[in-house]
Amino acid sequence: GAVVSQHPSWVICKSGTSVKIECRSLDFQATTMFWYRQFPKQSLMLMATSNEGSKATYEQGVEKDKFLINHASLTLSTLTVTSAHPEDSSFYICSANGQGTMAQHFGDGTRLSIL
Amino acid sequence: GDSVTQMEGPVTLSEEAFLTINCTYTATGYPSLFWYVQYPGEGLQLLLKATKADDKGSNKGFEATYRKETTSFHLEKGSVQVSDSAVYFCALGGYNQGGKLIFGQGTELSVKP
């Protein structure tokens, strides 16, 4: 149980394009989802907390106009990297709280490469 | 503020050796404690958890005990395998942390045959 699916797993695109990443909870409802960014050989950096039906809460230093988050249903949150540039290249991971627990269940991540 | 500190890696062990990865924390309230494992190119998998002091979490031969008096949650395994090679993250989270997880920096484990 508590499976989180993230799509796509890998994307390469040209500078200036926008990229959408989907995060789905497959077998449970997730009122809260989280988006992280991870640089090579480093820990996870929380970007934002996504709440179903309301605006996301961004961490300090994260550009909300750059990283658009939508959480339109209890099983889907999306992260759109707008006008992506090479410095946005990274590994992006989403997670969702299991019901009644503080444990987060993670997707397999999306490797984003901007040329 | 709340924080988690792990021993630095990489940790290199021979197969069947005993593993300890130290984790200490600073936190307000009474958070739950977690160990996650990340294999190359993948997301994180929950390895084990403990929700209150003196709880022992265990899974796949790994175990860790929530020690409030020493603010620690050290990960141990009696006999590691090559397949245990991965990065291990200690984390804490609770209502005082707004539902967020606070991660340590991760410890890379490499097990040689």
Side-chain angles (χ1 to χ4, degrees), chain B residues 66-80:
Chain B
Y66 191 161
R67 301 285 188 201
K68 189 167 179 291
E69 64 277 10
T70 55
T71 62
S72 65
F73 192 55
H74 304 321
L75 182 68
E76 296 181 336
K77 186 176 185 183
S79 176
V80 293

Side-chain angles (χ1 to χ4, degrees), chain A residues 34 36 38 41-44 46 49 57 59 91 93 97 101-109 111, chain B residues 32 34 36 38 41-46 49 89 93-95 98-101 103-106 108:
Chain A
F34 302 88
Y36 296 86
Q38 186 179 33
K41 302 240 180 240
Q42 293 190 25
S43 189
L44 280 71
L46 179 64
T49 302
T57 303
E59 295 299 302
F91 193 54
I93 310 175
N97 277 119
T101 172
M102 286 292 167
Q104 290 180 19
H105 301 279
F106 288 80
D108 283 338
R111 185 155 306 283
Chain B
S32 296
F34 308 92
Y36 284 89
Q38 185 178 33
E42 297 184 10
L44 275 67
Q45 298 176 27
L46 179 63
K49 66 179 181 181
F89 291 94
Y95 292 107
K100 301 176 186 178
L101 288 181
F103 284 93
Q105 70 269 40
E108 182 179 0

Side-chain angles (χ1 to χ4, degrees), chain A residues 52-109:
Chain A
E52 187 267 336
S54 65
K55 290 184 179 180
T57 303
Y58 290 82
E59 295 299 302
Q60 193 170 8
V62 177
E63 300 175 62
K64 57 184 175 184
D65 294 331
K66 174 75 166 175
F67 299 100
L68 300 180
I69 291 171
N70 183 278
H71 193 158
S73 78
L74 286 171
T75 59
L76 174 64
S77 176
T78 60
L79 168 68
T80 301
V81 184
T82 62
S83 187
H85 289 95
E87 59 266 28
D88 299 322
S89 298
S90 194
F91 193 54
Y92 293 87
I93 310 175
C94 72
S95 71
N97 277 119
Q99 290 178 317
T101 172
M102 286 292 167
Q104 290 180 19
H105 301 279
F106 288 80
D108 283 338

